[in-house]
């Protein structure tokens, strides 16, 4: 039997926030491979441009826009520029986030400036980008938004967990609000995954503790696990799913 490559997102335009590295780069890579025209929107413009040019091979189209998702006006003009130059938006992955260990500290220890910073990026960033793309998606007959929550949004350590609980809430809220425009909104909640920034930041015994004591599945979670789940939720195979947060975390924490 002949293998036929399915370009699932051919003619689609996708924005991946925080796509310069980590999961975001994996999402951009997978969307390019599925035929989408991808824009990486990242506050680290140099790294975003490097990432985009590394993906613009073999006919794939990936570009970069330097933008801080917590800056409402910057997001509005970035999205307006994308719509003007590429013709619209079909997929948005709200991936940009602050996740350093220090944002999980107790509220009586962490500075208010750090609390505000993590809420501005992880919560307001999702609101800014989702609202900015709505009308462009509606004009194309619908679209898909995928948010990056976290298992911290279930276990709630400090401001980071609070921000990811809010992302779960925003996923339900935007699913309701945007459904009339045929826009599906879902989230993936990763467990502890081995992205470079997480591995550089974590106490060395934390990964072993997750695998041995917390997860049901005894292996390290990998960025590819998250990319696969995200690509499912962005695809037409998930066309009847909206407002859901899918944990991809080796079975921790389990809740009914
Ligand atoms: N890695 C994990 O274990 C894990 C677990 C649960 C959830 N998550 C979530 O997944 C997402 C990605 O995680 P990662 O490990 O790939 O992170 P990462 O640190 O490797 O990459 C984050 C990217 O976002 C960009 N970014 C940060 N703030 C930004 C802003 N204000 N505007 C635009 N871009 C900004 C950074 O420049 C970077 O390119 C985050 O939302 C994170 O909270 C990660």
């Amino acid at each position: 039997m002949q293998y036929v490559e399915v370009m699932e997102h051919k003619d689609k335009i996708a924005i991946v926030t925080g796509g310069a590295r980590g999961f975001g780069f994996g999402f951009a890579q997978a969307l390019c491979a599925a035929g989408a025209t991808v824009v990486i929107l990242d506050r680290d413009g140099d790294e975003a441009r490097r990432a985009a040019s590394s993906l613009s091979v073999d006919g794939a189209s990936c570009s970069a826009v330097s933008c801080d998702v917590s800056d409402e006006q910057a997001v509005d003009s970035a999205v307006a520029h994308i719509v003007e130059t590429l013709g619209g938006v079909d997929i948005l992955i709200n991936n940009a986030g602050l996740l350093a260990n220090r944002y999980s500290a107790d509220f009586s220890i962490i500075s208010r400036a750090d609390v505000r910073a993590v809420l501005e990026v992880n919560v307001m960033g999702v609101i800014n980008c989702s609202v900015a793309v709505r009308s462009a998606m509606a004009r194309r007959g619908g679209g898909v938004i995928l948010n990056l929550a976290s298992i911290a949004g279930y276990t709630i350590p400090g401001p980071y967990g609070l921000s990811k609980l809010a992302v779960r809430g925003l996923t339900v809220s935007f699913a309701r609000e945007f459904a009339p425009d045929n826009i599906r909104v879902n989230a993936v909640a990763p467990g502890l995954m081995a992205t470079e920034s997480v591995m550089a930041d974590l106490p060395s015994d934390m990964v072993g503790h997750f695998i041995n004591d917390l997860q049901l599945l005894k292996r390290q979670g990998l960025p590819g696990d998250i990319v696969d789940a995200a690509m499912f939720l962005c695809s037409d195979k998930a066309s009847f799913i909206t407002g859901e947060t899918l944990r991809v975390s080796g079975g921790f924490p389990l809740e009914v």
Side-chain angles (χ1 to χ4, degrees), residues 18 20-23 42-44 67-69 95-99 121 148-150 160 164 190-193 195 197-198:
R21 59 177 72 78
F23 295 156
D42 202 295
R43 71 174 176 184
D44 185 345
C67 176
D68 182 335
V69 296
N95 164 78
L98 295 182
L99 67 156
V121 176
L148 268 290
S150 167
Y160 177 74
K164 294 302 184 178
L192 182 63
M193 316 301 282
T195 58
S197 49
V198 162

Side-chain angles (χ1 to χ4, degrees), residues 14-245:
I15 298 175
V16 180
T17 72
R21 59 177 72 78
F23 295 156
F25 181 76
F27 301 144
Q29 191 171 35
L31 288 165
C32 280
T37 296
V38 178
V39 182
I40 290 174
L41 201 147
D42 202 295
R43 71 174 176 184
D44 185 345
D46 288 342
E47 198 55 35
R49 279 184 284 279
R50 266 193 291 278
S53 74
S54 78
L55 293 177
S56 295
V57 289
D58 299 331
S61 169
C62 188
S63 56
V65 174
S66 177
C67 176
D68 182 335
V69 296
S70 67
D71 180 338
E72 180 185 345
Q73 284 177 349
V75 169
D76 285 347
S77 37
V79 170
H81 170 74
I82 291 164
V83 171
E84 197 182 304
T85 52
L86 298 177
V89 184
D90 302 289
I91 297 168
L92 166 68
I93 302 191
N94 280 315
N95 164 78
L98 295 182
L99 67 156
N101 202 28
R102 75 171 202 264
Y103 298 117
S104 297
D106 289 346
F107 283 97
S108 44
I109 294 169
I110 189 172
S111 73
R112 300 293 153 80
D114 274 353
V115 175
R116 284 195 193 91
V118 77
L119 295 178
E120 279 292 334
V121 176
N122 294 10
V123 182
M124 293 309 298
V126 171
I127 296 171
N128 292 339
C129 294
S130 303
V131 170
V133 299
R134 180 185 185 169
S135 59
M137 284 186 174
R139 282 196 296 278
R140 283 166 74 91
V144 181
I145 297 176
L146 183 79
N147 299 325
L148 268 290
S150 167
I151 54 162
Y154 298 81
T155 58
I156 325 291
Y160 177 74
L162 178 68
S163 76
K164 294 302 184 178
L165 177 64
V167 170
R168 291 175 56 204
L170 287 172
T171 300
V172 173
S173 198
F174 280 127
R176 279 208 190 100
E177 193 176 326
F178 290 6
D181 289 328
N182 195 31
I183 298 168
R184 295 191 295 109
V185 186
N186 290 297
V188 170
L192 182 63
M193 316 301 282
T195 58
E196 266 176 44
S197 49
V198 162
M199 297 313 277
D201 185 53
L202 271 189
S204 56
D205 55 353
M206 187 69 96
V207 175
H209 172 57
F210 260 75
I211 297 173
N212 299 323
D213 308 329
L214 300 179
Q215 293 174 197
L216 300 181
L217 305 179
K218 304 295 180 193
R219 72 157 169 87
Q220 170 87 65
L222 298 171
D225 297 314
I226 303 306
V227 174
D228 287 345
M231 290 306 107
F232 165 69
L233 288 170
C234 288
S235 77
D236 286 346
K237 293 189 191 83
S239 63
F240 202 49
I241 302 176
T242 196
E244 296 290 345
T245 296

